[in-house]
Amino acid sequence: MAGVSESSRGGFSNKIGFVLAAAGSAVGLGNIWKFPFEVADGGGGAFVAMYLAFCFLLCFPVMMAEIAIGRKTNKNAVGAFETNGHKNWSAVGKMGVLSGALILSFYNVVAGWAFGFALEMIAGNFEIGANFGQFISDWHINLAFSSVFMFLTIYIVMKGVSGGIEKASKILMPSLLFLILALMGYALTQDGAMEGVAFYLVPDFSEITFDVAFSAMGQAFFSLSLGMGALITYGSYVGKKDNIAHSTAMILLTDVGIAFIAGLMMFAFIYSQGLQGTSGGAGLIFTVLPSAFESLGPVLGRVIGAAFFILLSFAALTSTVSLLEVPVAYVVDEHEVRRSRAVWIVGGLIFLLGIPSMLGNGTVDFFNNFITYSSGKTVNFMTFIENLASDTFLPLGGFFIALYTAWVWRGDNFKKELEQGNPGFGDTILGKYSIFALKFLVPIILGAITMVTISDKFLGLDLLEITRNLINDLIKFINT
Ligand code: TRP
């Protein structure tokens, strides 16, 4: 991972080091920026219920699989499959490298917004929330902020995080958690907050469609940094005596816990500000939170608002570092480029790739209305890349990682790897469930949801309708 230079592929000093780094990768804009607007767009409680089910039932075993593959092979996402003797499967790792690059390209733009908002809060400019659309369409500002952010990311990946950022994260991540908890407490006391809580927690099962399941699944993978080999790379630094199942549980609970309370805070604020029914979208936290901070008064509002966006930027930074690390580790290991050079080249290219995402927020019409799905919905470049990389490639990566682990590397070898540092785990209910899930549950569910939605979204084929007709025809045929 990013904390270790090429000369010291030694491993984390201890288990906490690994869990902290992986949790730092997991907790980021996905929890605080993306999760609330996905919930708003997905109809509330039903989305939350599906998201939680995906995290615990499907992502838990996939996360263990990634970490186990990494520890077993000591390699990056691509090299891991080759080392294990399955060269063809390294295509999965390559898809991961591509996903990492695509995700980082737009993630860096959003991180720039968070950074910019920190400065606006310091200046006491609470109106920025209402002027969000104007803010993101001003490409000068966005270019400046996102360059700063990419530069910091490159710098840290080059130097390694084991020094400063790891120490800082031990203080700053708990501070972020504390601040969100405090804001959540405040939000819940506001008038109308409870309706927001009800929208968030009480599922309306009529809202469950393949499309919503598809976004909930993508969100689960995105938030957990799963499905693109980031945790294979991280797992390669885990010690043989470490307990993978236990670490996985801690990472998962931290990530889901922070998303959950951030959502509670957001929906309490949204409803108390009378914004219910808002379509969400990428601007949600940026439009809602500034007026919430303003309600704290001119001084406290500035302090809390600035602290919030600074800590959010920091959380984003520990995630961008892990996103950049995957393609960099690949280029360094497989193409023998010097690390310091690889970081600049890869980081620079990804930055350029992010420019259309930046310009598609009101600056250049071609990128504003980039593509129209068969549903008739037109999305901008950023949303398209997000749909493609995080909603499609990540679960697809998870699908292949599950198939690979259970059927190619084989369940018993996976079990052996998990039992190093956790003897007898394979015979516990959780151990048995995990192997079963990787064999059947994960491939079937992820495969079905991905297939149905992709063919509908991108190809305009309604597979459900086609299957229904096929079955009807079959019944008719049998009856004649
Ligand atoms: N999980 C991070 C977030 O929620 C984003 C992220 C970092 C990520 N590394 C990743 C997503 C690797 C997918 C894969 O903000």
Side-chain angles (χ1 to χ4, degrees):
M1 56 139 277
V4 189
S5 64
E6 61 259 66
S7 58
S8 63
R9 207 185 168 85
F12 289 94
S13 42
N14 51 39
K15 181 166 145 197
I16 292 297
F18 163 68
V19 172
L20 265 180
S25 157
V27 176
L29 296 170
N31 308 58
I32 294 156
W33 160 71
K34 195 163 181 288
F35 180 65
F37 83 72
E38 295 282 355
V39 173
D41 291 346
F47 181 96
V48 178
M50 269 190 289
Y51 165 77
L52 292 175
F54 284 130
C55 284
F56 288 106
L57 297 178
L58 304 184
C59 291
F60 181 81
V62 175
M63 190 184 278
M64 285 204 300
E66 274 202 32
I67 297 172
I69 293 172
R71 183 172 75 174
K72 166 87 179 138
T73 58
N74 248 305
K75 276 285 162 64
N76 65 76
V78 176
F81 294 97
E82 290 174 0
T83 306
N84 240 1
H86 307 104
K87 208 160 175 3
N88 291 339
W89 283 84
S90 65
V92 178
K94 287 186 182 142
M95 185 170 80
V97 169
L98 178 67
S99 316
L102 290 173
I103 291 175
L104 181 54
S105 76
F106 73 80
Y107 199 96
N108 186 54
V109 175
V110 180
W113 300 346
F115 195 53
F117 266 57
L119 299 184
E120 299 285 352
M121 291 298 108
I122 293 173
N125 180 16
F126 298 113
E127 288 74 51
I128 191 71
N131 299 327
F132 175 72
Q134 217 175 324
F135 177 85
I136 58 171
S137 66
D138 184 341
W139 66 268
H140 299 91
I141 298 186
N142 281 278
L143 194 67
F145 286 137
S146 58
S147 327
V148 171
F149 217 85
M150 185 57 93
F151 180 80
L152 285 173
T153 306
I154 289 176
Y155 184 79
I156 292 166
V157 172
M158 202 167 66
K159 293 284 174 200
V161 285
S162 42
I165 195 176
E166 202 168 82
K167 270 189 219 122
S169 81
K170 282 184 195 161
I171 303 166
L172 296 181
M173 297 297 271
S175 311
L176 177 64
L177 176 61
F178 178 79
L179 188 57
I180 299 174
L181 275 172
L183 284 170
M184 181 191 82
Y186 171 68
L188 290 176
T189 64
Q190 306 293 300
D191 283 343
M194 284 309 143
E195 284 163 53
V197 175
F199 172 80
Y200 183 60
L201 292 182
V202 182
D204 171 1
F205 287 104
S206 68
E207 294 277 354
I208 295 188
T209 60
F210 264 89
D211 213 28
V212 174
F214 182 67
S215 328
M217 185 174 72
Q219 176 60 23
F221 276 82
F222 183 86
S223 183
L224 293 168
S225 302
L226 210 56
M228 54 158 268
L231 290 166
I232 295 183
T233 312
Y234 274 47
S236 71
Y237 298 99
V238 175
K240 285 288 180 199
K241 289 204 197 87
D242 287 340
N243 183 335
I244 291 181
H246 191 235
S247 301
T248 303
M250 294 215 296
I251 298 163
L252 198 119
L253 287 173
T254 307
D255 188 65
V256 172
I258 291 184
F260 189 80
I261 58 169
L264 212 49
M265 166 191 89
M266 277 306 299
F267 285 97
F269 276 139
I270 292 171
Y271 276 67
S272 61
Q273 290 178 18
L275 295 173
Q276 43 266 52
T278 162
S279 76
L284 189 62
I285 69 161
F286 295 102
T287 45
V288 170
L289 288 179
S291 41
F293 294 138
E294 190 173 19
S295 74
L296 292 169
V299 179
L300 193 61
R302 277 187 187 194
V303 174
I304 300 284
F308 178 85
F309 284 111
I310 289 171
L311 292 173
L312 180 60
S313 305
F314 182 80
L317 191 60
T318 56
S319 301
T320 51
V321 161
S322 87
L323 281 162
L324 184 57
E325 177 62 19
V326 173
V328 166
Y330 163 66
V331 172
V332 169
D333 285 0
E334 307 296 311
H335 294 286
E336 285 161 19
V337 181
R338 239 186 319 122
R339 188 177 178 87
S340 52
R341 174 180 284 188
V343 176
W344 280 102
I345 297 174
V346 174
L349 287 175
I350 293 175
F351 179 76
L352 293 180
L353 187 64
I355 288 180
S357 284
M358 194 154 54
L359 298 181
N361 296 307
T363 317
V364 174
D365 218 41
F366 177 71
F367 298 123
N368 293 341
N369 303 304
F370 186 67
I371 190 170
T372 303
Y373 294 136
S374 52
S375 64
K377 195 170 142 200
T378 301
V379 297
N380 65 11
F381 189 82
M382 185 188 257
T383 306
F384 169 68
I385 294 292
E386 192 223 298
N387 286 157
L388 186 70
S390 57
D391 292 347
T392 312
F393 287 176
L394 295 182
L396 207 59
F399 168 81
F400 285 120
I401 287 166
L403 281 186
Y404 172 80
T405 305
W407 299 104
V408 181
W409 186 27
R410 297 185 61 90
D412 40 340
N413 288 320
F414 171 58
K415 182 175 157 196
K416 235 183 271 159
E417 188 61 39
L418 291 182
E419 288 190 336
Q420 289 213 36
N422 189 359
F425 177 70
D427 298 318
T428 63
I429 293 179
L430 195 58
K432 285 193 182 133
Y433 169 77
S434 301
I435 293 172
F436 166 79
L438 291 177
K439 274 193 176 139
F440 303 108
L441 216 54
V442 173
I444 290 172
I445 296 181
L446 293 192
I449 296 179
T450 311
M451 236 163 55
V452 168
T453 327
I454 295 182
S455 38
D456 181 36
K457 232 188 178 97
F458 297 114
L459 307 176
L461 294 174
D462 188 342
L463 284 190
L464 290 180
E465 187 64 30
I466 294 172
T467 320
R468 217 173 287 131
N469 291 341
L470 216 67
I471 293 174
N472 283 339
D473 288 349
L474 214 69
I475 293 172
K476 260 189 234 144
F477 178 74
I478 293 169
N479 284 342
T480 51

